[in-house]
């Protein structure tokens, strides 16, 4: 197994004849046409993504002769190919000592990899439930339905290990093969994500249909011909079968987030293929959690109150909306849901505005160095917010144009407007925080410590100072007062604790409050609280076919936005 390309020898030989200079510079790239390799891998990913999207969307409808086991077969083949490629990558980079010349410290931070492992664990539990559920019907189901969750579990384990140890790699061997492999991995994760979102939407639609067959959703399902699950023809009468069935559908949100997190990390690896990182731009930010120091606890306490209150609202909403058919109970649950979200979104908007104002007085410089991870974070924040923007604007048009208007419509309108404002202000706050340099106090303190560590001896009583480079001491002609002041100043600067100014403390409080608030705003729609289907205003205005399609397409992006905002806010908190 080779360590590079044949056409790299000439450029490698020429790079070795470069004359020495006093200032270190990044090595020249070995690639002749870097954009060509990227273009080919992008074309491969686009074609695979379109094929997977076509099969997944076609498999959701009854009138199209594409079955769900056809989708599972394609995904199984793609995951097997990715597993083989990951093994090839790990073996080839381990054998070649020059495969990874540098590592990107910004890529794959510990909190992102930790979140990936958390979602991977729940995804494995979901696969176990799937295997147990489908095994109950092995006599009346296709074998691919049992093989698929087994292969997916192996895929999750292998990919998680691969991303944990290789997320920071800047690979310099097999460049085009590595790019194609990474794009195949990214496309596979997106295809699994599309399949999970479609399966979850179909399941929720059928669950609601079974509870209230007179709902307008029945007419929509009959009109578009949505496919019923192939397991409906099999009997699931045992209690353990029902546990497996309900369990793996409740775990779908974790699998959806796992696929998106993995896709983001793989994309950063793809951007870093063949990249040389300059030393002056390679800052390493150590992860230091100080939740119980340098904080007023205001953000944590207020965020925990929002989180616990939101969990209570979610439980009451699920019980009253899904277990009762009375319109009064349903209206009360919707009113409670909208009031909580209006209060939460209003507080978050005000806090984000306050954080942006604090940044105006922040004296830290902007970080303008090349950083693919930060570029991807900003792009995902802006792109994922479009899903919630679309739902909000559709709701605003429907509410304003519909008559008559009641209290729930007014609450829904306020909720939609605040949702747009909160996404906008939060994106501004996060993006500005991601582009800030680390605090100057840390740099100054760190440089003082390095200078003091470079000293061989400090003798306060004798007021003498020796430096190992020169080996000289202080001049005897120096005044006694000056002799005594220099060591004392150095000792005070060494022993004095670092002080965090009020701006940094406020930014940390704001980041922690927004982090906890985004968690509950992710949990509520991810685990069933979706008033878009329970409020009849939009459904009556747009029709029983258009509005569910809009929500099913846009809502997954809104859910992903919340979880990605949590990861970005954690980084802002640590960098503050």
């Amino acid at each position: 197994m080779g360590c590079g390309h044949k056409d790299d020898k000439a450029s490698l030989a020429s790079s070795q004849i470069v004359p020495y200079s006093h200032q270190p510079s990044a090595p020249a790239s070995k690639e002749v046409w870097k954009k060509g390799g990227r273009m080919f891998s992008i074309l491969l990913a686009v074609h695979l993504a379109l094929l997977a999207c076509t099969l997944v969307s076609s498999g959701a409808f009854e009138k199209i002769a594409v079955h769900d086991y056809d989708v599972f077969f394609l995904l199984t083949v793609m995951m097997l190919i990715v597993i083989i490629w990951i093994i090839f990558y790990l073996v080839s980079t381990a054998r070649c000592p020059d495969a990874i010349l540098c590592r990107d410290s910004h890529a794959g931070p510990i909190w992102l990899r930790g979140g990936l492992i958390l979602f991977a664990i729940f995804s494995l539990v979901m696969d176990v439930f799937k295997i147990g559920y489908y095994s109950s019907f092995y006599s009346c189901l296709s074998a691919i339905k049992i093989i698929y969750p087994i292969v997916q579990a192996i895929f999750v384990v292998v990919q998680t290990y691969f991303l944990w140890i290789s997320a920071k790699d800047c690979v310099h061997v097999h460049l085009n093969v590595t790019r194609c492999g990474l794009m195949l991995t990214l496309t596979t994760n997106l295809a699994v994500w599309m399949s999970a979102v479609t399966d979850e939407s179909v399941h929720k639609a059928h669950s609601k249909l079974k509870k209230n067959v007179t709902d307008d959703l029945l007419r929509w399902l009959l009109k578009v011909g949505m496919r019923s699950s192939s397991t409906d023809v099999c009997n699931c009468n045992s209690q353990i079968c029902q546990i497996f069935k309900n369990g793996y559908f409740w775990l779908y949100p974790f699998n959806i987030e796992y696929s998106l997190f993995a896709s983001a990390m793989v994309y950063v690896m793809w951007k870093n293929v063949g990249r040389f990182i300059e030393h002056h731009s390679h800052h390493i930010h150590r992860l230091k959690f100080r939740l119980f120091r340098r904080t007023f606890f205001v953000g944590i306490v207020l965020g925990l109150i929002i989180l616990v209150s939101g969990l209570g609202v979610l439980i009451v909403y699920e019980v009253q909306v899904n277990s009762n058919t009375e319109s009064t109970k349903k209206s009360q649950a919707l009113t409670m849901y909208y009031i909580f979200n209006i209060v939460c979104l209003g507080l978050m908007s005000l806090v984000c505005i306050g954080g942006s104002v604090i940044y105006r007085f922040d004296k830290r410089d902007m970080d303008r160095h090349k950083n693919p991870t930060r570029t991807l974070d900003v792009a995902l924040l802006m792109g994922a917010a479009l899903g919630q923007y679309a739902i909000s604007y559709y709701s605003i048009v429907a509410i304003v144009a519909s008559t008559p208007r009641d209290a729930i419509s007014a609450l829904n309108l306020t909720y939609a407007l605040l949702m747009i404002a909160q996404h906008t202000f939060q994106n501004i706050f996060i993006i500005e925080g991601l582009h800030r340099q680390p605090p100057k106090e840390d740099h100054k303190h760190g440089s003082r410590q390095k200078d003091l560590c470079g000293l061989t001896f400090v003798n306060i009583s004798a007021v003498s100072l020796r430096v190992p480079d020169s080996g000289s001491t202080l001049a005897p002609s120096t005044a006694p007062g000056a002799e005594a002041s220099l060591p004392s100043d150095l000792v005070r600067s060494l022993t004095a604790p670092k002080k965090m100014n009020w701006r940094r403390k406020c930014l940390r409080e704001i980041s922690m409050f927004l982090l906890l608030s985004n968690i509950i705003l992710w949990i509520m729609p991810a685990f069933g609280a979706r008033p878009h289907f329970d409020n009849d205003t939009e459904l009556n205005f747009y029709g029983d076919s258009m509005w569910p399609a809009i929500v099913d397409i846009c809502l997954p992006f809104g859910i992903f936005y919340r979880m990605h905002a949590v990861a970005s806010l954690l980084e802002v908190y640590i960098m503050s």
Side-chain angles (χ1 to χ4, degrees):
M1 194 176 296
C3 294
H5 302 286
K6 293 181 180 179
D7 54 357
D8 293 340
K9 294 181 180 179
S11 59
L12 180 61
S14 62
S15 63
Q16 293 176 350
I17 315 177
V18 177
Y20 292 99
S21 60
H22 296 287
Q23 296 180 354
S25 60
S29 177
K30 299 180 183 181
E31 280 191 284
V32 178
W33 192 28
K34 186 175 183 180
K35 293 183 178 179
R38 286 187 173 182
M39 186 184 303
F40 181 78
S41 61
I42 291 174
L43 288 175
L44 174 65
V46 168
H47 286 290
L48 287 176
L50 290 176
L51 175 61
C53 182
T54 302
L55 282 178
V56 170
S57 58
S58 300
F61 297 95
E62 186 69 40
K63 295 180 180 180
I64 302 177
V66 177
H67 301 279
D68 50 0
Y69 50 79
D70 297 326
V71 178
F72 290 153
F73 178 78
L74 174 65
L75 296 179
T76 301
V77 172
M78 294 177 66
M79 288 189 290
L80 287 174
I81 296 175
V82 171
I83 291 172
I84 295 173
W85 175 81
I86 289 177
I87 296 174
F88 165 78
Y89 174 90
L90 295 175
V91 173
S92 62
T93 53
R95 284 189 175 185
C96 186
D98 296 332
I100 303 171
L101 300 178
C102 54
R103 294 171 67 86
D104 185 4
S105 63
H106 299 286
I110 186 65
W111 57 88
L112 187 61
R113 289 181 290 164
L116 185 76
I117 289 180
L118 177 64
F119 291 133
I121 293 173
F122 285 106
S123 297
L124 291 176
V125 176
M126 184 200 70
D127 290 327
V128 171
F129 283 2
K130 270 190 175 182
I131 295 170
Y133 176 61
Y134 288 136
S135 299
S136 306
F137 311 112
Y138 68 93
S139 59
C140 62
L141 287 179
S142 175
I144 193 64
K145 284 210 162 186
I146 302 177
I147 297 174
Y148 172 73
I150 296 175
V151 174
Q152 188 180 23
I154 300 173
F155 171 75
V156 168
V157 172
V158 174
Q159 181 177 245
T160 304
Y161 174 76
F162 164 68
L163 292 176
W164 179 265
I165 66 173
S166 305
K168 299 177 180 292
D169 292 354
C170 297
V171 187
H172 292 274
V173 295
H174 307 295
L175 300 179
N176 291 332
V177 176
T178 302
R179 287 195 181 98
C180 291
L182 289 171
M183 272 298 167
L184 176 61
T185 307
L186 189 150
T187 307
T188 303
N189 281 284
L190 292 180
V192 172
W193 169 74
M194 286 187 290
S195 176
V197 169
T198 304
D199 199 7
E200 185 189 23
S201 300
V202 172
H203 170 72
K204 289 184 178 298
H206 282 286
S207 299
K208 187 172 183 180
L209 179 63
K210 292 177 182 178
K211 291 176 182 178
N212 189 8
V213 294
T214 62
D215 195 81
D216 291 336
L217 186 59
L218 173 61
R219 298 195 303 270
W220 175 69
L221 289 173
L222 295 175
K223 184 176 180 179
V224 300
M226 182 172 285
R227 182 185 302 277
S228 61
S229 178
S230 58
T231 57
D232 291 344
V233 299
C234 305
N235 294 323
C236 182
N237 299 324
S238 61
Q239 187 174 2
I240 187 66
C241 178
Q242 291 293 335
I243 293 175
F244 284 144
K245 180 180 179 180
N246 296 327
Y248 87 81
F249 275 112
W250 275 101
L251 292 172
Y252 257 134
F254 297 101
N255 181 248
I256 291 172
E257 297 300 330
Y258 172 82
S259 299
L260 293 176
F261 266 52
S263 300
M265 297 177 69
V266 169
Y267 174 79
V268 174
M269 288 188 64
W270 178 79
K271 289 286 289 184
N272 283 331
V273 172
R275 179 189 175 197
F276 289 98
I277 299 179
E278 299 178 359
H279 296 287
H280 66 82
S281 64
H282 191 62
H283 302 296
I284 298 177
H285 307 298
R286 295 183 179 179
L287 180 65
K288 295 182 180 180
F289 288 101
R290 293 190 176 95
L291 295 178
F292 302 104
R293 293 177 58 190
R294 304 179 179 183
T295 181
F296 298 122
F297 295 99
V298 178
I300 299 176
V301 173
L302 190 57
L304 289 175
I305 293 174
I306 295 292
L307 180 61
V308 175
S309 302
L311 291 175
V313 170
L314 175 62
I315 294 173
V316 175
Y317 180 88
E318 285 291 313
V319 171
Q320 291 190 358
V321 171
N322 296 330
S323 301
N324 295 288
T325 58
E326 300 179 8
S327 59
T328 305
K329 296 288 185 180
K330 183 178 177 180
S331 300
Q332 291 177 356
L334 284 172
T335 303
M336 176 188 61
Y337 179 87
Y338 283 132
I339 290 176
F340 170 79
N341 278 271
I342 288 171
V343 173
C344 182
L345 293 173
L347 287 176
M348 294 173 70
S349 300
L350 293 176
V351 165
C352 289
I353 294 174
S356 299
V357 172
I358 293 176
Y359 276 129
R360 302 278 72 80
F361 299 96
D362 198 350
K363 298 180 180 179
R364 288 182 292 170
D365 296 330
M366 302 295 289
D367 187 1
R368 295 180 175 86
H369 295 115
K370 183 179 179 181
N371 188 345
T373 305
R374 183 177 59 206
T375 303
L376 178 62
D377 287 339
V378 174
L380 289 177
L381 284 172
M382 301 298 291
L386 296 177
Q388 193 59 56
Y389 283 156
I391 295 177
S392 298
Y393 280 117
Y394 274 107
S395 298
I396 291 171
V397 172
I399 295 168
V400 172
S402 298
T403 53
R405 301 182 182 91
D406 52 3
I408 293 182
S409 298
L411 291 174
N412 192 7
L413 178 61
T414 307
Y415 167 74
L417 292 172
L418 282 176
M419 187 68 74
I420 296 173
Q422 191 273 328
H423 277 72
T424 304
F425 294 138
Q426 181 170 267
N427 282 346
I428 294 173
F429 173 77
I430 293 177
I431 292 172
E432 196 160 7
L434 293 176
H435 283 81
R436 292 286 176 173
Q437 290 276 11
K440 293 182 178 180
E441 293 85 357
D442 290 350
H443 291 304
K444 292 179 180 179
H445 186 78
S447 61
R448 289 176 182 174
Q449 283 186 333
K450 291 180 181 178
D451 294 340
L452 288 173
C453 291
L455 300 177
T456 306
F457 182 75
V458 177
N459 192 341
I460 300 177
S461 59
V463 199
S464 63
L465 210 90
R466 265 204 319 261
V467 181
D469 293 337
S470 61
S472 61
T473 59
L474 292 174
S477 60
T478 308
E483 287 182 352
S485 63
L486 178 59
S488 61
D489 290 340
L490 291 173
V491 171
R492 280 197 301 269
S493 65
L494 177 63
T495 57
K498 293 189 293 182
K499 294 182 179 179
M500 182 184 294
N501 57 29
W502 65 271
R503 301 185 192 91
R504 292 180 59 191
K505 290 182 179 180
C506 291
L507 290 174
R508 291 168 74 92
E509 298 292 340
I510 291 171
S511 301
M512 185 54 60
F513 169 73
L514 292 175
L515 188 150
L516 294 173
S517 299
N518 276 278
I519 289 177
I520 188 58
L521 291 181
W522 169 77
I523 291 175
M524 297 182 79
F527 290 93
R530 300 183 180 182
H532 315 288
F533 293 126
D534 300 317
N535 190 359
D536 298 331
T537 304
E538 295 92 340
L539 192 63
N540 295 332
F541 184 81
Y542 292 108
D544 48 12
S545 59
M546 180 179 176
W547 178 243
I550 293 172
V551 176
D552 286 339
I553 293 173
C554 298
L555 189 59
F557 293 96
I559 295 174
F560 170 71
Y561 171 85
R562 293 299 176 186
M563 186 49 61
H564 188 69
V566 170
S568 300
L569 285 166
L570 185 58
E571 185 173 359
V572 173
Y573 174 84
I574 294 171
M575 295 296 295
S576 297

